[in-house]
Amino acid sequence: MTMTATEARREVVTHLRLEGVTAGYGGPPVIRDVCIGVERGRIAVVAGPNGAGKSTLVKAIMGQLKVTGGSVHLADRNITNDSAERIARHGIGYVPQSQDVFEDLTVWENLEIGGYLLSKKKSHARALELLELFPPLARMRSRAVGQLSGGERKMVAVGRVLMLEPSVLILDEPTAGLSVPLTEELFEVHVRALADAGTAVLLVEQKATEALRVADWGYILVSGAVEVSQPAQEILGRADIGEVFLGGSTSVVGEGDEEE
């Protein structure tokens, strides 16, 4: 018997999954009954308009906000309401939208901080691996991060989190402030390469069109609930996606915040 698309999706979403997650800030829930997931080697995008609950969702996953309903699982481990430090040790890396690097420190020093749980020898070797993964950083390893461009700083932020070789990488609005060319490079070169190497990537992004183009699966979050859950290419082909995403807008692309 042939599986439906929904049944097939349930078969593959096993690494990071949220089952009916509800969370908020003490009043009415901001997100309600959210079910999402991503498998290793795949990219899942969570998109939605401002105020949809994307940041709340990330905080609930990362132990920064109490989950009041449902559960968060990493492989066969229930990590619901674990501390942020324990979640990092379990293998989830998180790159926040802002305050994601130490600007007064060099590229190399930022990477070393990311490897704080490793021995000095292992940290050194891992940092060298990441400089190979992000060649532009190898040429500026001794430069203070505050002197780098927005795109270069974001590469440092991702590299710092990858020092511990997480099985899941959560990127929260990684293209904020980046131009279209830098956005495309980040997604199509770096994020895709991480997934192809076996990392499960959960990409929370306002620039939905660009993100969905490199993703395997997409979730559209509206008013705290999952409004759409489909393969990314199917979402891009929906004639009604503007209405779903922005209440009638013809574009799903986040506007503004471009770096020259």
Side-chain angles (χ1 to χ4, degrees), residues 47-216:
N50 288 331
K54 301 188 297 295
S55 294
T56 300
L57 176 65
V58 173
K59 291 177 181 178
I61 296 172
M62 294 305 303
Q64 299 174 359
L65 186 65
K66 185 177 181 180
V67 172
T68 57
S71 56
V72 182
H73 299 265
L74 180 65
D76 59 354
R77 185 191 301 269
N78 187 330
I79 61 170
T80 310
N81 292 325
D82 273 1
S83 68
E85 181 178 356
R86 282 177 58 85
I87 288 171
R89 288 176 180 270
H90 292 328
I92 298 183
Y94 170 47
V95 180
Q97 179 178 348
S98 59
Q99 299 180 333
D100 53 359
V101 291
F102 298 94
E103 295 191 352
D104 293 337
L105 301 181
T106 66
V107 169
W108 183 263
E109 289 167 338
N110 269 267
L111 295 178
E112 285 185 321
I113 289 175
Y116 69 102
L117 292 176
L118 306 177
S119 67
K120 185 174 182 180
K121 181 178 180 180
K122 175 64 175 176
S123 176
H124 183 87
R126 180 60 177 159
L128 290 176
E129 290 175 0
L130 290 170
L131 291 182
E132 289 184 9
L133 182 64
F134 300 108
L137 297 185
R139 298 190 295 270
M140 54 189 74
R141 57 182 286 176
S142 299
R143 290 180 60 184
V145 172
Q147 299 174 357
L148 306 184
S149 70
E152 291 163 346
R153 287 197 298 271
K154 189 57 65 176
M155 278 192 283
V156 175
V158 173
R160 184 171 61 82
V161 170
L162 291 177
M163 283 290 292
L164 297 181
E165 301 184 70
S167 59
V168 177
L169 179 64
I170 299 177
L171 300 172
D172 187 6
E173 303 282 1
T175 67
L178 299 188
S179 65
V180 172
L182 286 175
T183 293
E184 292 176 349
E185 178 183 352
L186 178 66
F187 287 159
E188 297 175 10
V189 178
H190 302 301
V191 174
R192 186 70 256 177
L194 291 173
D196 290 345
T199 304
V201 179
L202 185 64
L203 182 56
V204 180
E205 181 57 56
Q206 184 71 17
K207 296 178 182 176
T209 297
E210 291 93 332
L212 288 166
R213 283 176 183 153
V214 299
D216 300 290

